[in-house]
Amino acid sequence: MAEGDRLVTVREEEMSSLGSGFSFHRIAYFLRPSVTSVDGPVFAPPLDSANQDSTTSVDDSVPIKAIFSGWRCPRKEWIKWVDRMRSMHLSTWKQAGIDDAITNSTFQIHRSDELILGVAEKWCSGTNTFVFPWGEATITLEDMIFLGSFSVLGNSVLSRAGDVELEVTTKKLREARLYFSRTTARKASPSRWIEKFMECGSEIEHEAFLAYWVSQFVFPYERDTISKAALPIAASLARGTKLALAPAVLADIYRNLSALKGSLVASKKCGTGQGQKEVIEVKVTAPFQLVQAWVWERFPTLRPMPNSTGFGEPRLARWNGIKKVGTKKVLSAVDGAEEEFIWRPYMRAANNCLPHMVYKEEDYWVLIKSGSGDEFEGLVRCLRPSELVSPEVDCIEQYLPHRVAMQFGMDQDLPGHVMRENGSSEIAWSNYTRKIEDGILYIPARLFESDATTRYLKWWHKLEFARSVRRKVDSDGKSRSRGFRIDEGLLKVKSEDDDLPPPGFPPKLPTVEAGISGSKTKETYG
């Protein structure tokens, strides 16, 4: 890739495993932008005074009513319709990359409000990450691939190709939707939509089926009606057109996590401390079953026993039908999860295509360029910072995977600052799909457990100390968040500013098809 778009930088650093307390030197691999001094453009997470004490119950201290309208339970009629359509259109679904995602819509994921609200306490809208005492983690595009079975590649969900046949089909769907507005129901409710189109012999039954799926399970903004925005998306998918659903769904999840966190903050400010507190209501319109599954995948103490799944089954099947589990003391569990947090849960399973296709038993380098293959191009989308856009009005969210590099098997150093485009959805999409220049990409071993630099750990612990002081000051009522300042000198960490690859890097590389194996030693570059 071009110098400005290189994904990985290589340095020999003093490293430490989280929670171990031991340090060692080795060649390390970092996602860019990675900096080696806080004097550089480090993007630090803000101090988060909203995080409550980990011993406090969410139910006892947060007067908030979260309405998870985007969390849909499959109707029996829907499951029947899925089976019918699969028998006729599976090849089209595979071409569009939605076959497993549609299967996911038939799963029953029982919600744990305590779990979601507890983890949302840790959300930081400034970085779109969860801020834990021991580091950052977040829901990434890779999670959208495995848990949602959504594609990171394809056309934008906002694109309108201008194809005459596509426009005709979309118009027929709009006319069908308009029909319901003239009935006593006044809207195209999901139940009536199924009654009208399932096994009716309509020429647009498949498109109507996909309109239901998109409206109810992908972009579930409107609970009691088939949304107008879902119609052109459904028409495109019915033709086998691949759409990049993963970044759009993730953008919605980020926005809703920020709204939920904002409501949690507001609920604390409006509490009187005596008698009945005001209840703040927040509507969550994103498919938060993916958020809960993300927590279950990564926090062993908070999850139920997963289902055993067969080869080729979607990852979400692990959590299908499992009853809601009581999850008290969520904050205490996540705060103390430094050593047990599972950074790369999907790499442990042999029946997932991406680890099988990309991640091998040993690390290697590949030559990456446009047309290298969907699996490598998709990995590039997962690894580089970008901006995500969804069909929701003005929903453009920043994606910063370099802040959570250990989730991709890369090492963690101080995260560099990434400027916002602050433009239109077209600019955001252009940023997300920018061309892959010829270059090389490091692929870590499938089961490799990465580390952080000692510099990063010192920096993070000082930030966490400042956050804990902030929370203590606020809880004592001696000062409000606006009046608290950190001495910037507290965050200074001396280190070398060398961000260059070792001598002789890069080595002569083979093509993507061949790959190259190597160990984590200097001989890798020989």
Side-chain angles (χ1 to χ4, degrees):
M1 300 171 194
E3 174 66 22
D5 199 34
R6 281 196 297 124
L7 292 180
V8 180
T9 186
V10 186
R11 298 190 295 270
E12 182 170 348
E13 290 282 2
E14 183 181 4
M15 309 296 294
S16 179
S17 299
L18 294 186
S20 70
F22 299 101
S23 62
F24 44 87
H25 281 83
R26 68 166 173 83
I27 297 294
Y29 302 79
F30 306 101
L31 288 181
R32 288 166 58 91
S34 170
V35 297
T36 58
S37 171
V38 293
D39 294 327
V42 179
F43 189 12
L47 297 179
D48 193 357
S49 62
N51 286 345
Q52 63 190 93
D53 184 80
S54 58
T55 61
T56 305
S57 167
V58 172
D59 289 336
D60 293 340
S61 63
V62 181
I64 181 172
K65 180 181 180 182
I67 302 174
F68 295 96
S69 61
W71 193 300
R72 303 297 165 81
C73 299
R75 301 168 182 262
K76 292 181 180 179
E77 297 83 359
W78 169 248
I79 296 175
K80 180 181 178 181
W81 204 7
V82 169
D83 290 339
R84 168 180 162 79
M85 290 291 100
R86 180 186 284 113
S87 66
M88 296 185 289
H89 301 286
L90 181 59
S91 61
T92 301
W93 296 358
K94 288 183 177 294
Q95 182 180 341
I98 58 174
D99 49 316
D100 283 344
I102 290 176
T103 300
N104 284 345
S105 69
T106 66
F107 296 154
Q108 179 80 39
I109 310 297
H110 294 279
R111 190 176 72 244
S112 171
D113 291 6
E114 299 91 345
L115 182 67
I116 295 175
L117 290 175
V119 174
E121 284 276 356
K122 300 297 183 179
W123 184 252
C124 172
S125 60
T127 57
N128 281 337
T129 60
F130 295 106
V131 178
F132 302 115
W134 37 269
E136 285 179 281
T138 196
I139 305 168
T140 69
L141 287 172
E142 185 181 70
D143 295 300
M144 293 297 99
I145 293 173
F146 287 108
L147 293 178
S149 299
F150 298 128
S151 175
V152 296
L153 303 176
N155 298 336
S156 169
V157 294
L158 300 179
S159 64
R160 300 293 179 262
D163 182 274
V164 175
E165 182 180 347
L166 185 64
E167 289 299 327
V168 169
T169 303
T170 303
K171 182 179 179 181
K172 290 179 180 179
L173 288 171
R174 289 184 181 132
E175 289 173 349
R177 186 175 183 274
L178 184 61
Y179 161 81
F180 288 99
S181 68
R182 301 191 185 104
T183 65
T184 55
R186 308 294 293 176
K187 60 184 177 181
S189 67
S191 59
R192 290 179 177 273
W193 190 266
I194 290 180
E195 289 175 5
K196 178 175 176 61
F197 285 107
M198 188 171 69
E199 300 184 69
C200 67
S202 170
E203 63 177 343
I204 60 168
E205 181 183 357
H206 187 214
E207 288 82 356
F209 166 87
L210 291 173
Y212 182 104
W213 175 68
V214 172
S215 181
Q216 297 298 296
F217 298 102
V218 185
F219 305 117
Y221 307 143
E222 302 176 57
R223 185 175 185 85
D224 298 323
T225 185
I226 303 301
S227 67
K228 186 176 181 181
L231 306 184
I233 296 174
S236 294
L237 293 172
R239 301 179 65 185
T241 302
K242 181 173 288 188
L243 300 180
L245 297 176
V249 173
L250 186 56
D252 286 336
I253 288 175
Y254 282 174
R255 168 179 272 199
N256 278 261
L257 276 169
S258 295
L260 185 55
K261 176 60 178 287
S263 296
L264 290 170
V265 173
S267 71
K268 297 176 186 301
K269 293 181 178 179
C270 74
T272 62
Q274 296 180 352
Q276 181 66 36
K277 293 183 179 180
E278 179 182 348
V279 175
I280 289 184
E281 187 174 288
V282 57
K283 187 177 181 180
V284 179
T285 59
F288 261 42
Q289 60 269 33
L290 300 180
V291 176
Q292 181 168 295
W294 183 90
V295 176
W296 279 350
E297 289 280 355
R298 297 176 184 274
F299 292 92
T301 59
L302 291 176
R303 71 184 180 200
M305 180 66 68
N307 298 319
S308 297
T309 56
F311 183 82
E313 283 191 88
R315 181 77 179 192
L316 198 63
R318 284 162 50 89
W319 312 113
N320 178 33
I322 296 178
K323 297 297 183 181
K324 186 174 69 171
V325 177
T327 49
K328 301 299 183 182
K329 298 184 178 180
V330 174
L331 290 168
S332 177
V334 298
D335 283 351
E338 179 176 10
E339 296 184 29
E340 70 169 18
F341 184 78
I342 302 175
W343 291 95
R344 306 176 71 196
Y346 317 121
M347 300 303 110
R348 301 183 177 191
N351 63 339
N352 288 297
C353 60
L354 189 60
H356 177 73
M357 295 289 293
V358 175
Y359 296 103
K360 309 298 183 182
E361 297 310 307
E362 294 188 9
D363 59 324
Y364 65 101
W365 292 87
V366 294
L367 177 64
I368 299 290
K369 57 184 178 180
S370 296
S372 293
D374 285 357
E375 57 274 3
F376 287 103
E377 186 174 351
L379 180 60
V380 169
R381 298 275 179 92
C382 291
L383 294 179
R384 69 183 181 187
S386 60
E387 302 209 351
L388 313 176
V389 59
S390 90
E392 186 72 293
V393 177
D394 297 327
C395 183
I396 302 175
E397 295 289 337
Q398 196 173 31
Y399 177 65
L400 302 171
H402 68 298
R403 300 192 69 92
V404 294
M406 294 176 67
Q407 291 184 219
F408 302 98
M410 302 291 183
D411 297 304
Q412 185 67 57
D413 204 351
L414 301 175
H417 179 67
V418 178
M419 294 292 293
R420 290 299 305 267
E421 292 288 346
N422 290 324
S424 63
S425 58
E426 290 78 13
I427 294 175
W429 178 252
S430 177
N431 172 274
Y432 175 77
T433 59
R434 61 190 181 271
K435 183 180 178 181
I436 300 174
E437 302 291 344
D438 290 2
I440 57 174
L441 178 62
Y442 175 74
I443 310 293
R446 181 172 67 90
L447 298 179
F448 176 70
E449 296 182 2
S450 49
D451 305 302
T453 63
T454 54
R455 171 175 54 247
Y456 172 84
L457 294 177
K458 290 177 182 177
W459 171 74
W460 188 264
H461 290 158
K462 288 179 179 179
L463 286 173
E464 178 56 27
F465 173 75
R467 282 192 292 269
S468 65
V469 171
R470 169 82 162 269
R471 291 193 294 269
K472 183 65 168 64
V473 169
D474 284 348
S475 65
D476 289 346
K478 298 177 181 178
S479 173
R480 302 316 304 165
S481 58
R482 294 179 182 176
F484 186 82
R485 296 290 183 269
I486 297 180
D487 178 3
E488 293 298 324
L490 179 68
L491 305 181
K492 299 297 181 183
V493 181
K494 294 182 180 180
S495 66
E496 297 179 359
D497 287 328
D498 182 15
D499 191 25
L500 299 176
F505 175 86
K508 182 178 179 180
L509 294 170
T511 62
V512 169
E513 289 77 13
I516 182 171
S517 297
S519 60
K520 287 186 171 295
T521 65
K522 291 186 178 180
E523 283 72 26
T524 302
Y525 306 96

